[in-house]
């Protein structure tokens, strides 16, 4: 046998569909409907042949410095990664012995079990209740806990008190995956600053409208960040992504303005769905998770919308099977969404 | 203990220095001295806000297709990676059980022992002889063998017969790392096509002058490539790198013209160094590995050149300690190099 035994049965992570075409309404992968900062095009315009032919700065000093300044941490507390997924994968290799225990909620980001299986870790799943809240056990006995905060696909945020409680009950390292946090009311940076066991991961894919460039970062205490540096690929991020991310980060105004627009649309979408009988969870993200009205089948509705080129996301399963996840687009896109939906109802 | 025990003592891979400044003569990291295809700037100019805000094609179908066509393999025999280093790292996770045996030559690419240590594999080192040839043992008992071909830092290529012999003597998977192969007289594609245990990795960093974008690929039999797909990060390459690499690949003329210029300069540099008493190995790469003339100390010469802003590479050690590795630059750069060298002699 030449391929590792544990891979034979492994089911790879399945990304959301990427349909293309002018008529497609794409509300399925939580991309940002608004363009990134115009400054990123200035950065692209400044790319020279010399920039391309040389190796990039392996640790992206300039970007790390800007990130550190933004969050009030030191530059050596920052690791930039090839999308935040790379940071998560690195954690499974750095913070558990082989065969160790990785914990996460279900439902949550479906990449966690895949990463844990690839690293041959024991997967410890903590199921949410029917209202997608967590009745946290007295002991959360894992080496590493992945917590998407706010969570996906539920859109719900845990309180700071709950997270502090988790930290008391779990002896391992807590990775707070804040991919959606710019759309939320609060972040967990202060929890990170008070602990030597908390890491926060962030992404440029959502609030900065840069899913295409694959850039994320991990913040944390020096000894943990240092361990991640040791095992990352030497040149894990490319020079274009570094420059574009830097330009976007320095233009907080554009990011915040896009976030404000999406939060506004989120309120309207929640109201409109509620009017139509959906139960919408109070979202802290750039999507809503909504239970379809009684008598309707979520999967059928998902498929009917897809037949009309309206792409949203459906997650089969006991807890999630009556819900649909809808990315918040522009006002025009959401008008189109409701027109199609009303046509079906 | 929160950080994995094996990481405590791990020495991370150290990339070559990246000095900057107009006066620097940078011949230390085997970058291509010539600009990439002008087509890559057309590709960059076509990047839109929509391209950036959306996730890239997770498997880069268009680029895979072009690579497959170039090499006469099927698209599902190609995996594009975030630099060829990612491909190498994936192999350590896919083709050995935990604690398995990874083999490689010494000296060779110094990333192999680091990747093997990160994956907690047993490192099986095969030392080259004093003339940097390999007296291959009857049995090469490893699960995975990394062979840089042509080798670095030696610049030497093994013959096809030697590689076929290795394949007979080694029961595991053979990864032929062809990062420098476009500068060589032959490649091992036909060996790959005849075996179900051979993988080839390639890079856009050297011959395509695109070290900045981090793009490489692995070619191989379907079952092995499929295993790598299962464990790669979902979106492991970004949209910009995909488009730029595609543009460069489609312009074979520019790549080949740059390669021809470098091979020409290599001949001249070899002759000029030999005139000055260096023993230069017959290079099949975009660098030369040269033994300094008797009575001279390689490390001292390396440092004296660095003091003059001339960066080349020195590898301490029993076998390599009398040699210097010099990247082949443009004719003008090599003239400057010899002017500085002659000034010291």
């Amino acid at each position: 046998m030449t391929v590792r035994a544990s891979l034979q049965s492994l089911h790879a992570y399945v990304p959301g569909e990427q349909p293309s075409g002018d008529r497609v309404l794409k509300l399925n992968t939580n991309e940002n409907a608004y363009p990134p900062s115009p400054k990123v095009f200035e950065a692209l315009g400044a790319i020279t042949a010399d920039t391309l032919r040389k190796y990039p700065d392996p640790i992206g000093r300039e970007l790390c410095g800007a990130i550190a300044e933004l969050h009030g941490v030191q530059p050596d507390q920052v690791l930039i990664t090839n999308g935040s997924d790379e940071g998560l994968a690195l954690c499974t290799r750095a913070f558990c012995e082989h065969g160790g225990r990785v914990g996460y909620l279900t439902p949550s980001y479906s990449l966690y079990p895949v990463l844990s299986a690839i690293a041959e870790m024991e997967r410890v799943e903590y199921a949410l209740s029917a209202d997608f809240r967590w009745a946290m056990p007295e002991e959360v006995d894992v080496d590493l806990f992945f917590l998407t905060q706010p969570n996906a696909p539920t859109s719900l945020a845990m309180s700071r008190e709950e997270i502090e409680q988790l930290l008391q009950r779990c002896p391992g390292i807590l990775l707070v995956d804040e991919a959606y946090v710019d759309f939320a009311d609060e972040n967990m940076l202060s929890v990170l600053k008070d602990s030597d066991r908390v890491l926060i991961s962030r992404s440029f894919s959502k609030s900065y409208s840069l899913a295409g460039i694959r850039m994320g970062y991990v913040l944390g205490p020096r000894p943990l960040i240092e361990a991640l540096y040791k095992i990352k690929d030497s040149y894990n991020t490319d020079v274009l992504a570094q420059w574009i991310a830097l330009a976007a980060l320095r233009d907080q105004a554009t990011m915040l303005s896009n976030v404000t627009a999406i939060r506004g649309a989120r309120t309207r979408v929640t109201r409109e769905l509620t009017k139509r009988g959906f139960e919408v969870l109070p979202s802290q993200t750039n999507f809503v998770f909504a239970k379809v009205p009684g008598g309707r089948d979520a999967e059928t509705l998902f498929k009917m919308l897809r037949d009309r080129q309206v792409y949203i996301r459906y997650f089969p399963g006991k807890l999630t099977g009556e819900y649909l996840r809808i990315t918040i687009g522009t006002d025009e896109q959401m008008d189109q969404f409701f027109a199609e939906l009303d046509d079906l109802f």
Side-chain angles (χ1 to χ4, degrees), chain A:
Chain A
M1 187 57 65
T2 49
V3 173
R4 203 171 205 178
S6 63
L7 295 191
Q8 313 277 344
S9 56
L10 180 79
H11 294 286
Y13 173 76
V14 181
E17 292 170 279
Q18 290 288 27
S20 56
D22 288 343
R23 286 194 50 242
V24 165
L25 181 58
K26 192 169 178 308
L27 306 174
N28 68 331
T29 53
N30 299 341
E31 286 148 347
N32 195 316
Y34 294 96
S37 163
K39 299 282 182 191
V40 307
F41 293 98
E42 288 177 27
L44 273 177
I47 298 289
T48 64
D50 239 33
T51 318
L52 293 172
R53 70 172 188 81
K54 284 194 205 166
Y55 283 93
D57 177 354
I59 62 172
R61 271 179 202 82
E62 206 168 347
L63 179 56
C64 277
I67 291 167
E69 200 181 326
L70 179 69
H71 296 307
V73 299
Q74 295 302 309
D76 58 2
Q77 294 184 268
V78 183
L79 171 77
I80 61 170
T81 54
N82 185 38
S84 63
D85 289 352
E86 188 199 12
L88 306 176
L90 289 174
C91 287
T92 64
R93 289 174 218 139
F95 304 130
C96 319
E97 296 299 330
H98 181 251
R101 293 165 63 84
V102 176
Y104 49 85
L105 302 176
T106 60
S108 186
Y109 187 21
S110 58
L111 183 66
Y112 302 144
V114 179
L115 292 179
S116 308
I118 291 171
E120 296 182 339
M121 299 298 165
E122 187 180 338
R123 282 163 286 176
V124 187
E125 303 194 340
Y126 295 89
L128 296 176
S129 58
D131 64 351
F132 300 106
R133 302 286 171 183
W134 188 20
M136 197 187 301
E138 287 299 320
E139 205 179 357
V140 179
D141 182 22
V142 297
D143 301 302
L144 172 65
F145 197 99
F146 284 125
L147 183 77
T148 310
Q149 162 69 13
N151 198 11
T154 70
S155 81
L156 300 176
M158 277 168 72
S159 69
R160 178 183 307 269
E161 289 68 32
E162 283 177 289
I163 286 169
E164 281 165 352
Q165 196 176 51
L166 172 56
L167 205 50
Q168 281 165 6
R169 295 181 181 188
C170 171
I173 286 171
L174 174 61
L175 183 295
V176 186
D177 179 348
E178 291 194 337
Y180 298 102
V181 83
D182 289 323
F183 303 100
D185 296 332
E186 61 171 356
N187 64 50
M188 293 303 143
L189 280 167
S190 65
V191 178
L192 174 139
K193 288 170 191 172
D194 288 342
S195 169
D196 60 359
R197 289 189 290 121
V198 174
L199 294 161
I200 285 181
S201 83
R202 293 281 183 98
S203 169
F204 282 85
S205 298
K206 315 295 184 186
S207 54
Y208 289 98
S209 311
L210 289 171
I213 68 163
R214 317 310 305 129
M215 182 62 81
Y217 55 92
V218 185
L219 306 173
R222 270 182 208 86
L224 303 188
I225 295 294
E226 195 185 354
L228 297 176
Y229 267 102
K230 277 188 176 181
I231 61 170
K232 79 177 185 73
D233 279 341
S234 324
Y235 297 97
N236 63 325
T237 63
D238 70 60
V239 69
L240 298 151
Q242 285 182 23
W243 285 27
I244 289 174
L246 184 64
L249 192 85
R250 284 182 172 156
D251 180 7
Q252 289 290 303
T254 296
M255 184 274 273
L256 293 170
S257 149
N258 289 344
V259 163
T260 302
I262 288 163
R263 286 176 58 121
R266 181 174 79 192
T267 302
R268 191 169 70 90
V269 168
T270 301
R271 192 176 57 229
E272 292 296 324
L273 283 169
T274 306
K275 258 196 229 167
R276 287 160 177 82
F278 287 79
E279 287 174 38
V280 187
L281 299 184
S283 172
Q284 289 279 293
T285 61
N286 69 338
F287 58 87
V288 292
F289 200 51
K291 190 176 185 174
V292 301
R296 296 267 176 180
D297 181 66
E299 188 170 11
T300 306
L301 188 52
F302 162 75
K303 286 179 177 165
M304 290 167 78
L305 284 166
R306 196 172 58 181
D307 289 344
R308 291 168 168 252
Q309 306 257 52
V310 178
Y311 286 78
I312 58 175
R313 196 91 188 253
Y314 170 71
F315 298 90
K318 194 164 72 79
L319 271 182
T320 55
E322 296 178 67
Y323 286 76
L324 295 173
R325 194 190 74 181
I326 304 153
T327 303
I328 303 295
T330 61
D331 288 332
E332 295 68 31
Q333 287 178 319
M334 300 324 291
D335 286 347
Q336 192 190 337
F337 171 76
F338 281 110
E340 297 283 357
L341 186 69
D342 290 345
D343 218 36
L344 287 173
F345 262 47

